[in-house]
Amino acid sequence: MFYLGCHLSCSNGFETMGKTALEIGANTFQFFTRNPRGSQAKRIDPQDAQRLRNLLETHSFAPILAHAPYTINPASSDLRTRQFALDVLADDLSRMEYLPGNLYNFHPGSHTGQGSEAGIRLVTEALNEVLTPYQHTTVLLETMAGKGTEIGQSFEELKRILDGVKLNGKLGVCLDTCHVHDAGYSLAILDGTLAEFDKQIGLKYLKAIHLNDSLNPRGSHKDRHAPIGAGKIGAKTFERIINHPVLKDLPFCLETPQDLAGYKREIAFLRGLYHS
Ligand code: FE
Ligand code: FE
Ligand code: ZN
């Protein structure tokens, strides 16, 4: 089954996102748990959450992705910044229980000059703090482009975080195509990159794909997303990604610079490239 969607705004509530997804041909989607730049989270309407759960079930959606705000940094050298990240992560995970069985994706963070060793240790500690055996959400570490002092640009760094987390059965990885390309991995040599992922992390941890083309060449560490086919990765490679036997049943989510009409076109385009 081809599960494909895009990033949607949550400002009109949960059920509205589900309806919008249906209108644009999506059967999964992603949303920010709160304003990506701010911190205030809207109060959850349990009935609205239940209506979305019904819609997702009726229309056989794949798990959906909630995305943490990018402003949190659990790997910061600053204690208050780390405490804020812990508060947001814990609060988001408790809110996710209104939508059980889905995915919560976050950027591991930036070590802000302490070195990746220290950053990895802090992210590990944060996850050991916020994960609970009772949660119904899988928390995904996103592969990063390696901009600035970002950690998680190599599969090995992500593996070290997974190894340090006690409840790592609650964890997974979201592979962002723009980010891994910008980090230096080749998507043109897809089998090689997936073999490397399997060797370092294990493919069983791969739970979702962010589908983005990249404005910049491989290894540039820039993180500038482009529409599918309008960047350096190219449509041909995306055709191979969505049809690859180990990827083809995962939820794919676009985070390309598009409005809703653009996403609808991009979804239709990619559906046309999928060899059912
Ligand atoms: Fe992200
Ligand atoms: Fe992403
Ligand atoms: Zn990005």
Side-chain angles (χ1 to χ4, degrees):
M1 186 68 176
F2 190 21
Y3 295 110
L4 175 62
C6 63
H7 192 90
L8 294 174
S9 163
C10 190
S11 53
N12 294 311
F14 287 136
E15 188 191 20
T16 303
M17 286 190 292
K19 288 179 169 168
T20 304
L22 289 173
E23 279 164 26
I24 61 174
N27 50 2
T28 183
F29 60 87
Q30 174 175 274
F31 65 97
F32 282 123
T33 53
R34 56 188 77 212
N35 180 330
R37 304 239 151 255
S39 60
Q40 261 324 85
K42 266 198 333 199
R43 204 166 46 83
I44 285 182
D45 171 357
Q47 286 170 0
D48 182 35
Q50 185 57 53
R51 286 192 299 268
L52 175 61
R53 290 172 64 184
N54 296 342
L55 181 151
L56 299 178
E57 201 190 315
T58 304
H59 297 276
S60 309
F61 273 52
I64 56 170
L65 287 92
H67 197 305
Y70 350 99
T71 42
I72 63 162
N73 185 8
S76 173
S77 55
D78 179 65
L79 176 64
R80 290 179 59 183
T81 304
R82 291 203 302 275
Q83 188 57 50
F84 175 72
L86 277 181
D87 293 346
V88 168
L89 290 170
D91 185 45
D92 277 359
L93 286 179
S94 72
R95 295 155 57 86
M96 285 299 287
E97 291 299 303
Y98 286 98
L99 299 168
N102 290 298
L103 306 167
Y104 177 77
N105 176 69
F106 80 110
H107 297 178
S110 298
H111 64 69
T112 62
Q114 314 168 82
S116 52
E117 195 70 41
I120 287 165
R121 186 174 42 78
L122 289 168
V123 180
T124 305
E125 284 172 13
L127 288 167
N128 279 327
E129 201 57 44
V130 299
L131 298 180
T132 74
Y134 320 106
Q135 67 182 60
H136 298 88
T137 300
T138 300
V139 174
L140 305 185
L141 301 160
E142 182 166 353
T143 60
M144 300 310 294
K147 203 170 63 172
T149 64
E150 271 173 359
I151 54 177
Q153 64 166 306
S154 71
F155 299 153
E156 196 209 333
E157 287 186 353
L158 294 176
K159 168 62 172 170
R160 282 162 63 206
I161 297 170
L162 289 165
D163 279 345
V165 175
K166 288 184 217 95
L167 295 172
N168 60 14
K170 300 288 181 188
L171 291 178
V173 172
C174 174
L175 187 150
D176 184 309
T177 55
C178 169
H179 297 178
V180 295
H181 163 92
D182 282 24
Y185 293 101
S186 171
L187 292 166
I189 309 169
L190 186 57
D191 283 322
T193 293
L194 291 176
E196 180 68 10
F197 187 102
D198 196 31
K199 183 175 146 223
Q200 297 292 343
I201 301 177
L203 283 166
K204 71 168 198 266
Y205 281 105
L206 183 55
K207 303 291 185 196
I209 308 283
H210 281 166
L211 274 184
N212 303 304
D213 213 327
S214 172
L215 283 179
N216 293 292
R218 182 156 77 89
S220 61
H221 306 292
K222 288 276 207 286
D223 192 6
R224 299 278 311 281
H225 300 188
I228 301 301
K232 302 285 188 211
I233 299 173
K236 190 93 210 96
T237 295
F238 283 102
E239 180 173 5
R240 295 174 52 223
I241 291 169
I242 61 178
N243 289 293
H244 194 284
V246 312
L247 306 179
K248 60 192 279 289
D249 295 310
L250 292 172
F252 291 97
C253 205
L254 295 159
E255 299 174 308
T256 50
Q258 302 278 14
D259 58 13
L260 262 188
Y263 275 137
K264 186 175 182 172
R265 281 193 300 274
E266 211 163 43
I267 287 169
F269 172 72
L270 285 163
R271 289 205 182 281
L273 297 180
Y274 192 76
H275 319 144
S276 53

